[in-house]
Amino acid sequence: MQGLMQDYPLTLPHIFHRVERLFPDKEIVTSLPTGRERISYGEWAKRTRRLGGVLNDLGISPDGRVATFSWNTARHLELYFAAPCTGRVLHTLNLRLFPEQITYIVNHAEDEVIFVDKTVAGLLWPLLGSFTTVRHIVVIDDGGPFDTSEVPEGLELHDYETLLAAASPVDFHVEDENLAASMCYTSGTTGNPKGVVYSHRSTMLHTMAAMFADGFGARESDRILPVVPMFHANAWGLAHAAVATGADLIMPGPNLAAEPLAELIESERVTVAAGVPTIWMGVLPALKGRDTSALRVIPCGGSAVPKALSEAFREQLGLPIYQAWGMTETSPVATVGEIKSKLRGLPEEELADIRAMQGLPLFGVELRVLSQEHGAEVPWDGESRGELQAAGPWIAREYYNDDRSPESFTDDGWLRTGDVATINPDGYIKLVDRTKDVVKSGGEWISSVELENEIMAHPAVAEAAVIGVPHPKWQERPLACVVLKEGESVTKEELLEFLDGRVAKWWLPDDVVFIDEVPKTSVGKFSKKDLRHKFEDYTLPSA
Ligand code: ADP
């Protein structure tokens, strides 16, 4: 017997129409070099409909790829909806990728048009000649000084506001929820970036998940600051969720320095502020003495949230960091650090340990950990580790036009995350490492993430990254690369003494080197690849 409910499509025009009708007076604030701009959702919706008209005027194919090279701004949000709501596919370009990677993904996705913020046009202009399918470049004037007056032959150059002024508004309809809505490429820590294609359906369901009370709980009364870029993994679903609920959005624009972010949080009465750990490491001191009473949650992920950082927020603001885990391939949010009610009475120290884990799978997401030795699911004992795999309606099933798909998905269709994890009896996932980053010492594994966490708990340490370096007897041993806080000092011996008792004896790094900065990836994560490269010829004292 079939169910008798309507087969109502889960497509993005629903979100658009809802905010247009119900919340036209709520606002989007964008911080730009030229000052703070405010626009109501009502006005934004009118512009977004006209932007749909612009895509028609430019002759973009019915499912053409519409690329953006843009910061978090109200205009980027116009593109976030105008492209998919007219059946096109939004392709957010990560502006921090290497130039050759940008060329690769623009050509691989077959982008027809690129909308580019003037503040970052200087990064794109040298590449324009390398694009094979792009026909239009549309410049969004956000106050950048770069001269964008000329483009290579074969490309048409436009000004965003001029196009909008001349265009007519269109109606938005998308019937098939399985059509592509947007795409985003992974940052490609090895090889070329891989394309992940989100459907309308997956985006709608992921948006709802960001609104779950046991997710980020996005709601109408929020004022949401997505520091996490819209060009990387959908700003963790917050850009869509804000529009869906009618929450105000506070867009940070190009300036992601600590002081301006802290100032935005205070003056705009931000309630939800989301960003990667390196952002919050910088912002915490800048929040000292400011009124942060409106803040209710600080979602943070993308790399492990050091316990010391979360605790420092709890001590200073009364609000610990709320850890989430996910990947470009998982839309991205797959777990969140909600504390089960039965655990809430635990001492703060134990709660801090739970918050340092990656959390519980969101409703809708299934996770399993498979032993890398025998391939069976490991018990939920918080000890047994293996590869984390994911399934669910907002998890990728393959990459776009890529023959590397088979190695990333299992025969029964689950995503192989490349992360090594444990699950405890309560279902909390703890990421031990990325498969590529574990230190393999004498047939046993040392978790670089856990070691880093413990080193960063030392009051003199600003950042620490651990890599495995070759060792004649043990195959690999850990090398700790440490950045000290300004004006602080600590010796290798003192650090090792500090770690003694905090980690197993055989985990203690064989050496500690002090560096000025941990190299970062395009999205602000520790770049172990660059660090390994830097210490390629390094010999451990014990080797
Ligand atoms: P890329 O794979 O291109 O670096 P992603 O942003 O998709 O870009 O990275 C996803 C990876 O980031 C995960 O597989 C995991 O290794 C890491 N990650 C994300 N969130 C967390 C977290 N809370 N703790 C530890 N690692 C995380």
Side-chain angles (χ1 to χ4, degrees), residues 186-189 232 301-304 323-329 358 417 419 431 434 525:
T186 64
S187 31
T189 33
H232 183 243
S303 55
Q323 177 150 205
W325 166 86
M327 320 168 65
T328 305
E329 291 87 334
Q358 278 62 32
T417 65
D419 285 327
L431 238 72
R434 280 194 135 173
K525 305 183 194 193

mmCIF file of all heavy atoms in Angstrom, residues 186-189 232 301-304 323-329 358 417 419 431 434 525, ligand 1:
data_model
loop_
_atom_site.group_PDB
_atom_site.id
_atom_site.type_symbol
_atom_site.label_atom_id
_atom_site.label_comp_id
_atom_site.label_asym_id
_atom_site.label_seq_id
_atom_site.Cartn_x
_atom_site.Cartn_y
_atom_site.Cartn_z
ATOM 1 N N THR A 186 36.334 19.944 -3.290
ATOM 2 C CA THR A 186 37.123 19.769 -2.064
ATOM 3 C C THR A 186 38.427 20.543 -2.254
ATOM 4 O O THR A 186 38.814 20.838 -3.384
ATOM 5 C CB THR A 186 37.470 18.294 -1.825
ATOM 6 O OG1 THR A 186 38.307 17.855 -2.892
ATOM 7 C CG2 THR A 186 36.225 17.439 -1.762
ATOM 8 N N SER A 187 39.117 20.826 -1.146
ATOM 9 C CA SER A 187 40.311 21.653 -1.339
ATOM 10 C C SER A 187 41.500 20.826 -1.838
ATOM 11 O O SER A 187 42.570 21.363 -2.063
ATOM 12 C CB SER A 187 40.645 22.475 -0.100
ATOM 13 O OG SER A 187 40.274 21.820 1.056
ATOM 14 N N GLY A 188 41.303 19.525 -2.035
ATOM 15 C CA GLY A 188 42.323 18.756 -2.743
ATOM 16 C C GLY A 188 43.653 18.688 -2.034
ATOM 17 O O GLY A 188 44.659 19.167 -2.541
ATOM 18 N N THR A 189 43.653 18.082 -0.833
ATOM 19 C CA THR A 189 44.917 17.965 -0.107
ATOM 20 C C THR A 189 45.880 17.049 -0.875
ATOM 21 O O THR A 189 47.076 17.171 -0.752
ATOM 22 C CB THR A 189 44.675 17.429 1.322
ATOM 23 O OG1 THR A 189 43.563 16.535 1.283
ATOM 24 C CG2 THR A 189 44.350 18.550 2.261
ATOM 25 N N HIS A 232 33.133 27.850 0.721
ATOM 26 C CA HIS A 232 33.619 26.561 1.161
ATOM 27 C C HIS A 232 32.524 25.835 1.925
ATOM 28 O O HIS A 232 32.126 26.253 2.991
ATOM 29 C CB HIS A 232 34.854 26.730 2.044
ATOM 30 C CG HIS A 232 35.435 25.428 2.470
ATOM 31 N ND1 HIS A 232 35.509 25.037 3.770
ATOM 32 C CD2 HIS A 232 35.923 24.406 1.741
ATOM 33 C CE1 HIS A 232 36.045 23.825 3.820
ATOM 34 N NE2 HIS A 232 36.299 23.426 2.611
ATOM 35 N N GLY A 301 34.213 23.921 13.508
ATOM 36 C CA GLY A 301 34.652 22.626 12.994
ATOM 37 C C GLY A 301 35.594 22.854 11.845
ATOM 38 O O GLY A 301 36.164 23.927 11.716
ATOM 39 N N GLY A 302 35.724 21.851 11.001
ATOM 40 C CA GLY A 302 36.668 21.961 9.890
ATOM 41 C C GLY A 302 38.003 21.374 10.264
ATOM 42 O O GLY A 302 38.712 20.819 9.448
ATOM 43 N N SER A 303 38.362 21.518 11.525
ATOM 44 C CA SER A 303 39.472 20.758 12.100
ATOM 45 C C SER A 303 39.184 20.662 13.590
ATOM 46 O O SER A 303 38.257 21.319 14.087
ATOM 47 C CB SER A 303 40.824 21.411 11.798
ATOM 48 O OG SER A 303 40.827 22.729 12.219
ATOM 49 N N ALA A 304 39.951 19.830 14.282
ATOM 50 C CA ALA A 304 39.630 19.544 15.672
ATOM 51 C C ALA A 304 39.631 20.827 16.509
ATOM 52 O O ALA A 304 40.499 21.680 16.348
ATOM 53 C CB ALA A 304 40.634 18.558 16.236
ATOM 54 N N GLN A 323 31.269 22.080 18.981
ATOM 55 C CA GLN A 323 32.015 21.440 17.893
ATOM 56 C C GLN A 323 31.097 20.691 16.922
ATOM 57 O O GLN A 323 30.123 20.070 17.332
ATOM 58 C CB GLN A 323 33.043 20.474 18.482
ATOM 59 C CG GLN A 323 33.810 19.708 17.444
ATOM 60 C CD GLN A 323 35.226 19.316 17.843
ATOM 61 O OE1 GLN A 323 36.063 19.119 17.018
ATOM 62 N NE2 GLN A 323 35.504 19.226 19.106
ATOM 63 N N ALA A 324 31.431 20.774 15.649
ATOM 64 C CA ALA A 324 30.721 20.011 14.629
ATOM 65 C C ALA A 324 31.763 19.376 13.712
ATOM 66 O O ALA A 324 32.876 19.866 13.613
ATOM 67 C CB ALA A 324 29.815 20.913 13.812
ATOM 68 N N TRP A 325 31.383 18.275 13.086
ATOM 69 C CA TRP A 325 32.292 17.630 12.136
ATOM 70 C C TRP A 325 31.582 17.435 10.807
ATOM 71 O O TRP A 325 30.370 17.182 10.776
ATOM 72 C CB TRP A 325 32.764 16.261 12.658
ATOM 73 C CG TRP A 325 33.410 15.428 11.591
ATOM 74 C CD1 TRP A 325 34.718 15.458 11.206
ATOM 75 C CD2 TRP A 325 32.769 14.463 10.735
ATOM 76 N NE1 TRP A 325 34.932 14.570 10.175
ATOM 77 C CE2 TRP A 325 33.749 13.936 9.872
ATOM 78 C CE3 TRP A 325 31.462 13.985 10.622
ATOM 79 C CZ2 TRP A 325 33.464 12.969 8.888
ATOM 80 C CZ3 TRP A 325 31.170 13.030 9.654
ATOM 81 C CH2 TRP A 325 32.169 12.531 8.815
ATOM 82 N N GLY A 326 32.327 17.571 9.744
ATOM 83 C CA GLY A 326 31.762 17.289 8.436
ATOM 84 C C GLY A 326 32.786 17.509 7.356
ATOM 85 O O GLY A 326 33.957 17.793 7.636
ATOM 86 N N MET A 327 32.352 17.354 6.136
ATOM 87 C CA MET A 327 33.240 17.497 4.986
ATOM 88 C C MET A 327 32.448 18.120 3.840
ATOM 89 O O MET A 327 31.214 18.089 3.865
ATOM 90 C CB MET A 327 33.729 16.135 4.475
ATOM 91 C CG MET A 327 34.079 15.136 5.521
ATOM 92 S SD MET A 327 34.282 13.503 4.801
ATOM 93 C CE MET A 327 35.687 13.738 3.752
ATOM 94 N N THR A 328 33.153 18.623 2.840
ATOM 95 C CA THR A 328 32.488 19.107 1.636
ATOM 96 C C THR A 328 31.505 18.035 1.144
ATOM 97 O O THR A 328 30.376 18.339 0.746
ATOM 98 C CB THR A 328 33.549 19.388 0.552
ATOM 99 O OG1 THR A 328 34.515 20.279 1.101
ATOM 100 C CG2 THR A 328 32.928 19.996 -0.683
ATOM 101 N N GLU A 329 31.918 16.773 1.224
ATOM 102 C CA GLU A 329 31.109 15.645 0.731
ATOM 103 C C GLU A 329 29.866 15.393 1.577
ATOM 104 O O GLU A 329 28.984 14.640 1.174
ATOM 105 C CB GLU A 329 31.950 14.359 0.743
ATOM 106 C CG GLU A 329 33.070 14.304 -0.270
ATOM 107 C CD GLU A 329 34.370 14.922 0.246
ATOM 108 O OE1 GLU A 329 34.313 15.801 1.132
ATOM 109 O OE2 GLU A 329 35.432 14.528 -0.248
ATOM 110 N N GLN A 358 33.873 14.987 18.516
ATOM 111 C CA GLN A 358 33.199 15.601 17.357
ATOM 112 C C GLN A 358 31.683 15.526 17.464
ATOM 113 O O GLN A 358 30.979 16.126 16.656
ATOM 114 C CB GLN A 358 33.711 14.967 16.065
ATOM 115 C CG GLN A 358 35.042 15.556 15.582
ATOM 116 C CD GLN A 358 36.192 15.356 16.554
ATOM 117 O OE1 GLN A 358 36.252 14.367 17.275
ATOM 118 N NE2 GLN A 358 37.103 16.313 16.587
ATOM 119 N N THR A 417 35.299 8.458 4.558
ATOM 120 C CA THR A 417 35.664 9.850 4.881
ATOM 121 C C THR A 417 37.168 10.080 4.899
ATOM 122 O O THR A 417 37.615 11.218 4.841
ATOM 123 C CB THR A 417 35.126 10.256 6.268
ATOM 124 O OG1 THR A 417 35.796 9.453 7.253
ATOM 125 C CG2 THR A 417 33.628 10.061 6.364
ATOM 126 N N ASP A 419 38.786 9.691 7.482
ATOM 127 C CA ASP A 419 39.060 10.044 8.876
ATOM 128 C C ASP A 419 39.095 8.770 9.716
ATOM 129 O O ASP A 419 38.338 7.833 9.457
ATOM 130 C CB ASP A 419 37.969 10.969 9.436
ATOM 131 C CG ASP A 419 38.102 12.383 8.906
ATOM 132 O OD1 ASP A 419 39.238 12.831 8.675
ATOM 133 O OD2 ASP A 419 37.063 13.042 8.731
ATOM 134 N N LEU A 431 37.294 11.930 16.586
ATOM 135 C CA LEU A 431 38.222 11.820 15.470
ATOM 136 C C LEU A 431 39.630 11.668 16.002
ATOM 137 O O LEU A 431 40.089 12.509 16.768
ATOM 138 C CB LEU A 431 38.151 13.085 14.611
ATOM 139 C CG LEU A 431 37.775 12.761 13.184
ATOM 140 C CD1 LEU A 431 36.312 12.372 13.163
ATOM 141 C CD2 LEU A 431 38.023 13.925 12.285
ATOM 142 N N ARG A 434 43.295 12.038 10.521
ATOM 143 C CA ARG A 434 43.015 11.705 9.133
ATOM 144 C C ARG A 434 43.885 10.498 8.801
ATOM 145 O O ARG A 434 44.991 10.385 9.321
ATOM 146 C CB ARG A 434 43.403 12.870 8.223
ATOM 147 C CG ARG A 434 42.357 13.947 8.213
ATOM 148 C CD ARG A 434 42.561 14.906 7.078
ATOM 149 N NE ARG A 434 41.266 15.149 6.456
ATOM 150 C CZ ARG A 434 41.052 16.049 5.508
ATOM 151 N NH1 ARG A 434 42.038 16.760 5.031
ATOM 152 N NH2 ARG A 434 39.859 16.212 5.002
ATOM 153 N N LYS A 525 43.115 25.383 7.700
ATOM 154 C CA LYS A 525 43.472 24.232 8.534
ATOM 155 C C LYS A 525 44.983 24.061 8.527
ATOM 156 O O LYS A 525 45.650 24.496 7.586
ATOM 157 C CB LYS A 525 42.848 22.956 7.970
ATOM 158 C CG LYS A 525 41.363 23.046 7.799
ATOM 159 C CD LYS A 525 40.826 21.729 7.306
ATOM 160 C CE LYS A 525 39.416 21.915 6.804
ATOM 161 N NZ LYS A 525 38.715 20.678 6.588
HETATM 162 P P1 ADP B 1 39.213 19.126 2.542
HETATM 163 O O1 ADP B 1 38.898 17.663 2.657
HETATM 164 O O2 ADP B 1 39.229 19.590 1.179
HETATM 165 O O3 ADP B 1 40.248 19.614 3.512
HETATM 166 P P2 ADP B 1 36.834 19.635 3.973
HETATM 167 O O4 ADP B 1 36.544 20.927 4.568
HETATM 168 O O5 ADP B 1 35.790 18.915 3.272
HETATM 169 O O6 ADP B 1 37.978 19.942 3.021
HETATM 170 O O7 ADP B 1 37.524 18.779 5.086
HETATM 171 C C1 ADP B 1 36.859 17.777 5.767
HETATM 172 C C2 ADP B 1 37.792 17.229 6.800
HETATM 173 O O8 ADP B 1 38.070 18.186 7.813
HETATM 174 C C3 ADP B 1 37.250 16.046 7.538
HETATM 175 O O9 ADP B 1 37.380 14.865 6.795
HETATM 176 C C4 ADP B 1 38.095 16.052 8.803
HETATM 177 O O10 ADP B 1 39.344 15.449 8.599
HETATM 178 C C5 ADP B 1 38.313 17.529 9.046
HETATM 179 N N1 ADP B 1 37.371 18.000 10.058
HETATM 180 C C6 ADP B 1 36.207 18.627 9.887
HETATM 181 N N2 ADP B 1 35.626 18.916 11.070
HETATM 182 C C7 ADP B 1 36.437 18.446 12.027
HETATM 183 C C8 ADP B 1 36.400 18.415 13.472
HETATM 184 N N3 ADP B 1 35.408 18.956 14.169
HETATM 185 N N4 ADP B 1 37.432 17.818 14.101
HETATM 186 C C9 ADP B 1 38.458 17.272 13.425
HETATM 187 N N5 ADP B 1 38.550 17.283 12.084
HETATM 188 C C10 ADP B 1 37.561 17.851 11.383
#
